[in-house]
Each structure stands twice: as C-alpha cells, then as structure tokens.
C-alpha cells in the first residue's frame, strides 16, 4: 500500500455522506430568481429546496413582465457558502430559470416587506397602539370601535419589532408578504 | 426594379408554406419523424390510444411493444446509450406513467437523453381523480430534466421539438411530455423544429480560455498526473473519446474511469489503469490517492468513486471539466473549475498544448510507481476445475466475443462489478449499465433497446439471477420482435452484493438475501419461446458460450457460479482509496462510522 496517512487526516467529514462543511458559518442570502412564468415553475423551485434539504426563510413570487411572461421569485435562504453556491447552480439547472441574482452578495440590495397587522382593544391600549403606529409610520387601513388594521412597509426586522410592540396591546392577527428586493442604481439585475 | 424581375424572385424563394393542420396524435408522429426517430418503445392504454391509432398508419416508425412500461424506459435508455441518439418511450396515463418513474430517474442520474410521451386523461377530467389519472407532471418533476403538460394542441409540436432539444443538449437527461387525450384528438397547426428554442435555456459548452491555459500549465509541470474520466466523455460523442486518446498520446498521462465512462479509453492501452472506485483496481485507486494532478473529465466525484472524502487524493491539484456547473465543487473542491463540453474542452487543451510546443511531462518515476501497483495483480483469483468462478465466466465471455461487434449491458450487483472489472472495452457506447441509480432489472430491457439499434451486433446482458427476475417478462419482448439478445445469468442463488455486505457488515446474518425457489431458467426460456442453456462445469463453459453466440435468437444462459464468491478488491464504506480490501474479507474491515453508510 502507499504511504497514506489516514490517521493524520484533518478532522472533518468522513465521506460524502457526512459532508457538512461545519467549519463554514451559515449566512443569510436574498436571491432574486427570474423565471419563465409557465405552469409549475414555482413548484420546481420550491421542490428543489425541499428535495435537496435547503432552507427557505421567505418566498415571494409574481409576474413582473407580462409581455415576456417573466416572473420574479424572491427567496431568502440560509446556508454555508458552499451550500449557497450549490443553491445558485441547482436553480440554474431548472430549465425555465433564466437568471439568479444574489442581492445580498451584491451589497447594493434594497429589501422591503409589506405587512397587515390586526390589533383589537379599547381604552388606553387602543390609544397606545395608534401612537406606536404613528412612530412606525404604519397606516390605518381599517378600523372599528374595537380594532385597527395597520399596513406597514419596511425592512423585515422593523416589522417584527412593530409586531412585538403590538403583542401586549391586543395583537390578533398578522399577514406578511415576505421579502421583496431590488438592487440600487440604474442597472438591471 | 422592373416588373419582370418579380416572378423570378418569387420562383427563387421557397413557396409560402400552407399551415399544416392535423390532429394532435398526427402532430406527435410528424414531430417524431422530423426529429429522426426510427424506433420507439411503448405500451398502449386508454389515454394514449389516439397516438397508437396514428402510429398504425406510420410503418416507418418501429414500435417495440414491451411487457411492462419500465421495460420501455430501460429499452429507450439502452437505445440512447448505444447510439448517442435520444431514446423515445410512449406510455399511457396513470400506471403507465408511474411505471416509467424508475427509468426516468435512472436516465436522470446517468444523464441519458430520453423523451417520454405519456397519455393523460382529458383536460376537463384532470384533477378529478379520474380513471387512470395521476399527477404525472408532479410525480416526474424532480426525476426528469424537464417536463410538460400540453393543454393546447397548437403548443404540441413546439413542445416536442423543445423536449428533444433539452433532452440532448447541455447535460443530457429525460424529458417527459404529458398529453391529455382530448389534445391528441384536437386539430391544430404543426410547426417544424427550425426556430424552436427556449430563451432561458442556454447551456455553456465552450470552456473559458484562461481555464484551458491553466490546465496546460498544470500538465506541463505535473509529475504524477492522472485522467479521471466519466460518462460525460461518452455523452459528448465519439469525438470526445478520440480527442481523449489524442491528448493522452500527447502527454502520456495514465487514465482511469468511472463505471459510466468505460470504453472512452481503450482497455488494451498500456496507460489504462482500470476502473476507479469501490470495486476499482488497486493501481487506479492508489494513483488517484497519490497523484499531484487530477484531471476530472465528465465525472462527478460520486461517493462510489471518492470513498472517504477527507482522505480523497490529499496532495493533488484538481481540475474538473463538466458541462453542468452544479457538479463542480459539489462534493470535492477543485482548483480549476471548467464549465464546458468534454470534446470542446479536449480540443481546446490539445490546441493550447500544440501552441506551447513544450516537451511531454517527465512521468518516468510515476510510471514506475504505477507498474509496482499493477504488479500487485489485484484482480487475481483462485480458479477452480470444478466450479465456475464468476471472474472466469466473464473472462471467457470476453475472450469468445472480443473479435466481433459486441454490446454489453448489465443488471446491478456483483455481476455488474465483475463485468466492469473483467470485460475489456475498447470503444465508447458499448457498455450500458445503471450507474447512478443502481437499478436492478435495467440490463435485459436495455439489451432489447440496444439490439433494436444494432440489429446485427451481438448484444449480451450480463445478469444476476436476482436482478433479471425483476424484468424477466421482457425476454418475451425480445422473442416477439426477433431480437437475438443473450442473457448471461451469473447464477449464485444469492443477491450476491447484499450477501457480501451482510458478510462484511452484519456478522454473516444473511437476512432474506437467498433465493429459495429459483425458476428453471432453461425451461423458462423455452416457455417464453427462446433458447435455454445450463452450465455448471468450467470444462464445458467455452462450448456453451459459443452455443449461445451461435444461436440465432434470444438465449437465457443459466451459468451456475461459485455461490459465496466476494467481489474484490473493495474499498469499504468510510475508507480511503489506499485502504482497499484485496484478499479475503475478515469482517473487521469497516469502522463503526463506515457501517452506517450505504
């Protein structure tokens, strides 16, 4: 046999089955995936994530160019740099996927999320809810004597913060869109 | 311009073509014709009858009626692998489609171009749990390269042409087209394949010049280089194999290959190292471990090849040439990633190498080391006068068939590995085996497909008695269509590889791996209308193999081999390339971590 020094091999995965790249830190990424808007394309993208064990933190999708039937899927995901590289490559293997833009890596991304938040209560808590809503520049889009629905747009953590503040003030229900993103500057993609 | 020139101009240009109106079923036939399809494999059923009706009037398309849809899929794969052309299968909805899932997945794993046409219930019944309805598109989404449900007959021709384009370009793979019955009946416009393209689908085939230059730099300075080639070289076409041989001749670099890549490089060449991986040769695996430059060409660092990842070729620079960017840096980090077609990249490397006018790298020391490994003669086995050893059986099969055009398919298991170790392939596309998915039951229907593509060649399925029973009914297909395939069953009465792993990993507790009541294969062959041969004596083996070759018709050969023979050498799970089991299995080879692996 040759002079293999297996005993001295660096600690790490023992074979492909243990491939974990645990030495790499997990990063959060926002990806914009431009796809042909054909039946099943969302299922292909989502199926890829579940089938290969990748994470989806949030996902939004809508047609953005009806003349060319192009949709934009915004996915927030997490993984080690190695996994994130695989996610991008695997997405591009899907036939109707035209382009994958790593918004986070570009460092020029803007991310926004829309939320609708229902709060019920009377008296002092109702006034307090409205006061905090003003600080956050949330709009009241529906009201009854005992409730508000606020519309709030902003970065995801700002919305989460607002929701936390509403919790003791009679928070009933939350609906969020998930993250939308676009890159700054005049260039496309 | 004078008025007289006008008629001339008109005469010179092609006559404006009338839109070609026909039924959906006729569109299918017409599109297959235009794509150059000569044979397809299928099984009729309610939801696909209109296409079968159109096929009735299309004698130029040879339809091979199988016995089970899985057979149609593997036959289409065998056809595709042995010709480089896409295989075509035609099945009905529901069970027809679900029976195709295994071959579709098989073709996906091994990158085999295949177009699968499925009938579907009429559009207005989709989603109602109608008779023989299943969500074919949903089921095949992750196991096909792409799939389509055609709901408008006017999309049908475009979709079929697109499917052939996608199946055969980039990294090849299976494409499924689901066609509801009402769409087959509806009347629509046929369009030709010209101009059909998919804007978002542009696989890159030409390598970047900087990468090519970097490879040549590495080749010139390497002392212990190796080519690690795979199925991508075969898929790239015969030209890639030719260019690989040219590049090898220009550099003297030794060559190993994955199971899928056998035949791309001639097994008779002195620089051929044999197959790499779990049951690969001692010299190939040690050379992979000790090399200083590994050029991976159209292979994907599969776990059967790499063994223990953290001990995989620790001191080499690695170049990975692959047409699929997702294969690169997936398992093993490489120094020079190259996205490109094998033939195009080999061509570019040869051109750059020629331009440098450098000397061949000096590999004398390396060749000496390899010769020492080779001298270990890792495939040596103790032959017997009384029992047929499996290795001997494949060796005799090779010697008696080597002088004619022979195609080999296999099932999955020990016999498959013995075939890979002992049958020697000189040319690409002559070796058809289920590599990635490891599908028992692949080989017999694949042989049917190969024989359809090569009617005058000798086609042998090297089989195991367990695998072959999964698809035994397709022998009847061969009889019906006068396809003289030879099914060479290496019968040890065990699921041999399962038995071997139970011996190695599970304390010789042989749980459910013995075949208690095997059929009499000779009588079975006769019952199915073929010829059966039985042999259990090494003295008679040559004569019986010759009888099989000479018989003009399908043959089932029941070759009774040594029952407890293990397939060696072997890299046990969780071990490195230089930790091979060469002699006998003792039961202590595998670490606790390794025992948890597949």
């Amino acid at each position: 046999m040759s002079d293999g020094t297996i005993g001295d091999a660096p600690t790490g995965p023992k074979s492909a089955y243990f491939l974990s790249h645990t030495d790499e830190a997990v990063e959060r990424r926002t990806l914009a995936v431009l796809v042909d808007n054909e039946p099943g394309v969302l299922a292909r993208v989502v199926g890829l994530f579940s089938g290969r064990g990748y994470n989806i933190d949030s996902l939004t999708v809508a047609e953005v160019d009806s003349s060319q039937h192009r949709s934009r899927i915004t996915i927030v995901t997490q993984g080690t740099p190695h996994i994130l590289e695989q996610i991008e490559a695997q997405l591009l293997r899907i036939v109707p996927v035209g382009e994958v833009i790593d918004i986070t890596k570009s460092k020029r991304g803007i991310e926004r999320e829309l939320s609708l938040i229902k709060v019920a209560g009377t008296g002092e808590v109702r006034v307090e809810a409205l006061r905090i809503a003003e600080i956050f520049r949330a709009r009241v889009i529906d009201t009854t004597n005992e409730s508000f629905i606020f519309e709030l747009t902003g970065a995801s953590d700002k919305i989460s913060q607002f929701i936390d503040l509403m919790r003791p003030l009679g928070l009933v229900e939350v609906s969020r869109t998930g993250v939308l993103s676009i890159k700054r500057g005049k260039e496309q993609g | 311009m004078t008025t007289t020139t006008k008629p001339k101009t008109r005469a010179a240009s092609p006559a404006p073509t009338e839109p070609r109106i026909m039924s959906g079923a006729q569109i299918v036939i017409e599109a297959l014709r235009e794509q150059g399809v000569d044979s397809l494999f299928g099984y009729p059923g309610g939801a696909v009858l209109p296409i079968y009706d159109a096929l009735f009037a299309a004698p130029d398309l040879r339809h091979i009626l199988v016995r089970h849809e899985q057979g149609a899929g593997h036959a289409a794969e065998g056809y595709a692998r042995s010709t480089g052309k896409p295989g075509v299968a035609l099945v009905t909805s529901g069970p027809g489609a679900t029976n195709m899932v295994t071959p579709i997945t098989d073709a996906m794993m091994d990158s085999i171009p295949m177009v699968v046409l499925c009938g579907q219930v009429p559009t207005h019944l989709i989603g109602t749990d109608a008779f023989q309805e299943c969500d074919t598109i949903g089921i095949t989404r992750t196991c096909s390269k792409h799939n389509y449900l055609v709901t408008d007959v006017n999309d049908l021709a475009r979709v079929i042409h697109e499917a052939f384009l996608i199946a055969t370009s980039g990294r090849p793979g299976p494409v499924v087209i689901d066609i509801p019955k009402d769409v087959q009946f509806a009347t629509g416009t046929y369009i030709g394949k010209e101009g059909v393209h998919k804007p978002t689908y542009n696989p890159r085939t030409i390598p970047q010049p900087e990468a090519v230059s970097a490879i040549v730099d590495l080749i010139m300075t390497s002392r212990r280089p190796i080519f690690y080639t795979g199925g991508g070289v075969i898929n790239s076409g015969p030209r890639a194999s030719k260019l690989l041989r040219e590049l090898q001749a220009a550099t003297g670099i030794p060559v190993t290959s994955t199971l899928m890549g056998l035949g791309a490089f001639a097994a008779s060449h002195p620089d051929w190292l044999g197959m790499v991986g779990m049951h690969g040769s001692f010299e190939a695996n040690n050379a992979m471990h000790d090399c200083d430059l590994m050029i991976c060409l159209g292979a994907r660092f599969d776990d059967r090849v790499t063994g223990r990842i953290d001990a995989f070729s620790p001191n080499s620079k690695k170049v990975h040439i692959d047409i699929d960017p997702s294969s690169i840096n997936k398992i093993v980090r490489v120094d020079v990633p190259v996205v490109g077609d094998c033939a195009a990249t080999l061509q570019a490397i040869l051109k750059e190498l020629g331009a440098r006018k450098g000397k061949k790298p000096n590999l004398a020391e390396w060749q000496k080391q390899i010769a020492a490994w080779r001298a270990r003669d890792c495939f040596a086995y103790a032959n017997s006068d009384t029992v047929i050893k499996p290795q001997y059986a494949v060796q005799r099969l090779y010697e008696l068939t080597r002088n004619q055009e022979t195609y080999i398919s296999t099932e999955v298991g020990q016999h498959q590995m013995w075939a890979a170790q002992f049958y020697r392939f000189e040319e690409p596309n002559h070796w058809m085996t289920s590599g990635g998915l490891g599908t028992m039951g692949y080989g017999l229907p694949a042989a049917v497909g190969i024989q359809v593509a090569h009617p005058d060649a000798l086609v042998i399925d090297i089989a195991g008695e367990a695998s072959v029973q999964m698809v035994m009914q397709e022998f009847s297909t061969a009889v019906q269509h006068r396809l003289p395939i030879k099914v060479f069953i290496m019968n040890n009465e065990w699921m041999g590889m399962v038995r071997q792993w139970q011996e190695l990993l599970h304390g010789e507790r042989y749980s459910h791996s013995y075949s208690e009541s095997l059929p009499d294969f000779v009588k079975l062959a006769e019952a199915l209308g073929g010829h059966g041969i039985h042999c259990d004596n090494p003295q008679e083996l040559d004569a019986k193999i010759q009888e099989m070759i000479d018989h003009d018709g399908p043959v089932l050969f029941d070759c009774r081999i040594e029952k407890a023979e293990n397939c060696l050498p072997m890299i046990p799970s969780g071990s490195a390339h230089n930790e091979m089991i060469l002699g006998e299995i003792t039961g202590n080879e595998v670490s606790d971590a390794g025992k948890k692996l597949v």
Side-chain angles (χ1 to χ4, degrees):
Chain A
M1 293 231 179
S2 63
D3 59 337
T5 49
I6 298 311
D8 304 326
T11 51
K14 295 280 185 279
S15 89
Y17 293 94
F18 297 134
L19 196 72
S20 59
H21 289 258
T22 42
D23 49 329
E24 293 183 334
V26 170
E27 296 171 16
R28 192 165 182 271
R29 288 285 170 82
T30 304
L31 304 175
V33 186
L34 301 181
V35 300
D36 286 342
N37 185 16
E38 58 183 43
V41 65
L42 183 62
R44 287 180 208 284
V45 170
V46 173
L48 170 71
F49 276 76
S50 64
R52 292 188 184 265
Y54 307 143
N55 293 308
I56 297 182
D57 287 355
S58 111
L59 180 143
T60 66
V61 57
E63 190 170 75
V64 290
D65 182 345
S66 59
S67 65
Q68 287 190 54
H69 302 289
R70 298 277 268 180
S71 286
R72 185 176 178 116
I73 303 175
T74 307
I75 303 173
V76 181
T77 183
Q78 292 186 39
T80 61
H82 168 254
I83 294 289
L84 293 164
E85 189 185 315
Q86 266 294 301
I87 290 175
E88 208 170 314
Q90 293 289 351
L91 280 168
L92 285 166
R93 268 180 95 187
I94 300 174
V95 170
V97 170
E99 200 180 341
V100 178
I101 306 162
D102 189 329
I103 301 277
T104 311
K105 215 169 152 188
S106 76
K107 302 204 189 301
R108 295 196 296 129
I110 297 175
E111 298 184 7
R112 286 293 180 272
E113 188 173 356
L114 171 73
S115 60
L116 301 176
I117 296 148
K118 187 181 284 183
V119 180
T122 53
E124 194 50 40
V125 290
R126 182 171 159 82
V127 177
E128 180 66 5
L130 195 61
R131 209 173 61 80
I132 293 173
E134 275 167 24
I135 295 169
F136 276 79
R137 297 199 185 89
R139 290 171 55 207
V140 176
I141 57 170
D142 178 72
T143 182
T144 69
N145 287 334
E146 294 176 347
S147 71
F148 292 120
I149 297 174
F150 297 115
E151 177 196 311
L152 178 58
T153 304
S156 297
D157 53 348
K158 179 181 154 183
I159 292 172
S160 299
Q161 205 184 347
F162 180 73
I163 291 167
D164 286 344
L165 288 169
M166 287 300 117
R167 225 174 283 281
L169 304 176
L171 182 73
V172 175
E173 200 177 351
V174 176
S175 179
R176 301 174 69 154
T177 56
V179 173
L180 291 177
S181 69
I182 203 157
K183 277 198 330 208
R184 291 174 196 278
K186 65 178 181 181
E187 292 83 15
Q188 190 218 328
Chain B
M1 192 183 285
T2 63
T3 48
T4 50
T5 59
K6 266 190 173 175
K8 269 188 192 168
T9 315
R10 194 171 289 166
S13 67
T17 46
E18 293 290 318
R20 298 172 67 189
I21 307 294
M22 59 186 85
S23 75
Q26 285 167 324
I27 287 175
V28 171
I29 302 299
E30 202 48 46
L32 293 181
R33 270 196 193 118
E34 190 178 341
Q35 289 291 343
V37 175
D38 50 34
S39 310
L40 65 161
F41 305 87
Y43 203 101
V48 80
L49 282 179
I51 296 175
Y52 270 89
D53 201 35
L55 207 52
F56 195 69
D60 53 319
L61 290 180
R62 185 176 185 195
H63 178 271
I64 309 298
L65 176 67
V66 294
R67 299 295 177 267
H68 182 288
E69 286 88 352
Q70 184 187 353
H74 293 317
E77 283 188 272
Y79 179 95
R81 290 186 205 216
S82 66
T83 60
K85 287 162 52 177
V88 181
L90 172 62
V91 297
T92 193
S93 64
T98 56
N99 281 342
M100 279 298 300
V101 169
T102 298
I104 292 168
T105 313
D106 193 273
M108 185 70 175
M109 290 286 269
D110 287 346
S111 308
I112 304 305
M114 177 159 82
V115 174
V116 179
L117 304 159
C118 300
Q120 180 55 284
V121 300
T123 35
H124 70 274
L125 288 178
I126 290 178
T128 65
D129 301 321
F131 177 64
Q132 293 196 331
E133 182 190 356
C134 74
D135 178 10
T136 304
I137 290 304
I139 291 169
T140 60
R141 187 175 289 128
T142 55
C143 64
S144 61
K145 184 173 175 185
H146 195 48
N147 62 15
Y148 296 90
L149 170 65
V150 183
T151 51
D152 181 346
V153 66
N154 291 306
D155 290 336
L156 187 53
R158 174 186 59 79
V159 164
I160 296 173
H161 295 313
E162 233 175 69
F164 274 88
L165 173 76
I166 291 167
T168 55
S169 58
R171 180 177 178 178
V175 180
V176 178
I177 311 174
D178 202 18
I179 313 173
K181 195 172 183 179
D182 55 331
V183 173
Q184 299 169 34
F185 276 126
T187 304
T189 307
Y190 181 82
I191 61 158
K193 67 177 176 184
E194 278 76 32
V196 168
H197 73 294
K198 193 137 179 69
T200 52
Y201 179 75
N202 295 302
R204 198 161 97 205
T205 56
I206 305 296
Q208 288 176 316
E210 310 88 78
V212 172
S213 172
I215 295 170
V216 174
D217 288 346
L218 287 170
I219 290 178
M220 305 286 262
T221 54
S222 67
R223 284 287 171 271
R224 301 189 305 279
I226 187 170
F227 281 120
Y228 151 44
T229 65
V233 183
I234 313 274
N235 277 337
S236 183
R239 190 169 146 257
S241 296
K242 191 173 152 282
L243 291 167
L244 170 65
R245 291 164 195 219
E246 277 177 33
L247 181 59
Q248 197 283 329
T251 57
I253 298 175
V255 183
T256 184
S257 161
T258 67
L259 181 71
M260 295 304 299
L262 296 177
F265 192 72
S268 58
H269 195 286
D271 287 319
W272 169 245
L273 297 170
M275 182 172 73
V276 67
M278 188 173 268
H279 293 288
S281 76
F282 186 66
E283 49 271 33
N285 285 328
N286 275 293
M288 285 284 274
H289 187 271
D290 285 5
C291 65
D292 67 353
L293 171 63
M294 177 186 295
I295 303 175
C296 169
L297 194 58
R300 58 184 177 87
F301 297 92
D302 180 82
D303 53 74
R304 298 289 110 154
V305 163
T306 60
R308 182 173 159 178
I309 283 286
D310 64 358
F312 176 73
S313 194
N315 301 312
S316 61
K317 289 273 185 192
K318 298 177 185 74
V319 173
H320 189 181
I321 299 159
D322 203 299
I323 203 161
D324 175 8
S326 78
S327 287
I328 295 174
N329 287 332
K330 183 173 69 175
I331 307 288
V332 168
R333 294 228 171 246
V334 296
D335 303 280
V336 184
V338 188
V339 178
D341 169 61
C342 284
T345 308
L346 285 165
Q347 178 87 71
I349 295 171
L350 274 164
K351 199 176 156 202
E352 175 76 15
L353 203 63
R356 302 270 186 105
K357 296 197 179 73
K359 282 188 290 184
K360 271 192 191 183
N362 179 5
L363 306 181
E365 279 292 308
W366 185 225
Q367 279 154 349
K368 216 172 108 193
Q369 171 67 75
I370 288 169
W373 286 322
R374 214 191 285 274
R376 178 65 183 75
D377 193 12
C378 66
F379 294 125
Y381 61 95
N383 209 353
S384 160
D385 289 339
T386 50
V387 184
I388 300 174
K389 289 283 182 171
Q391 302 92 330
Y392 178 72
V394 179
Q395 277 180 328
R396 294 317 302 157
L397 196 62
Y398 167 66
E399 292 298 337
L400 294 167
T401 58
R402 61 184 294 187
N403 291 324
Q404 57 186 304
E405 180 82 343
T406 307
Y407 292 82
I408 302 289
S409 70
T410 74
E411 312 291 336
V412 168
Q414 282 184 324
H415 68 273
Q416 177 191 30
M417 292 299 115
W418 282 316
Q421 290 172 342
F422 290 91
Y423 204 97
R424 301 177 69 79
F425 297 93
E426 297 294 310
E427 295 297 329
N429 301 100
H430 284 63
W431 162 247
M432 270 56 63
T433 193
S434 172
L437 194 64
T439 310
M440 291 172 72
Y442 165 84
L444 200 169
V448 166
I450 300 161
Q451 191 81 74
V452 166
H454 308 277
D456 300 325
L458 177 62
V459 180
I460 303 174
D461 169 30
I462 299 181
E465 84 291 338
S467 283
V468 80
Q469 287 189 87
M470 289 201 173
V471 291
M472 196 65 246
Q473 71 282 353
E474 300 306 336
F475 192 78
S476 169
T477 305
V479 173
Q480 179 186 342
H481 297 278
R482 298 180 188 281
L483 301 167
I485 60 167
K486 317 300 178 200
V487 183
F488 188 79
I489 303 170
M490 309 244 278
N491 186 348
N492 59 3
E493 298 176 10
W494 287 92
M495 293 161 212
M497 197 59 94
V498 173
R499 195 208 57 78
Q500 178 167 340
W501 279 56
Q502 287 171 334
E503 179 181 347
L504 191 62
L505 297 161
H506 297 278
E508 301 181 43
R509 293 181 296 280
Y510 299 121
S511 179
H512 303 277
S513 51
Y514 183 70
S515 304
E516 292 285 345
S517 53
L518 285 170
D520 178 332
F521 284 108
V522 173
K523 281 186 185 159
L524 184 60
E526 284 160 10
L528 290 166
H531 181 53
I533 299 174
H534 176 93
C535 184
D536 55 12
N537 181 348
Q539 280 24 285
E540 294 171 3
L541 185 60
D542 276 21
K544 298 250 170 118
I545 289 175
Q546 197 57 50
E547 179 190 342
M548 173 182 87
I549 296 167
D550 294 341
H551 181 77
D552 183 21
V555 177
L556 265 191
F557 192 118
D558 186 8
C559 185
R560 295 296 182 130
I561 57 165
E562 166 76 58
K563 288 183 189 170
E565 189 78 11
N566 283 314
C567 184
L568 295 171
M570 176 178 187
I571 303 174
S573 300
S575 299
H577 275 162
N578 58 355
E579 299 178 308
M580 298 192 81
I581 305 173
L582 287 160
E584 287 300 301
I585 288 176
T586 63
N588 299 317
E589 287 86 355
V590 184
S591 63
D592 286 345
K595 283 181 180 170
K596 293 178 192 153
L597 304 179
V598 181

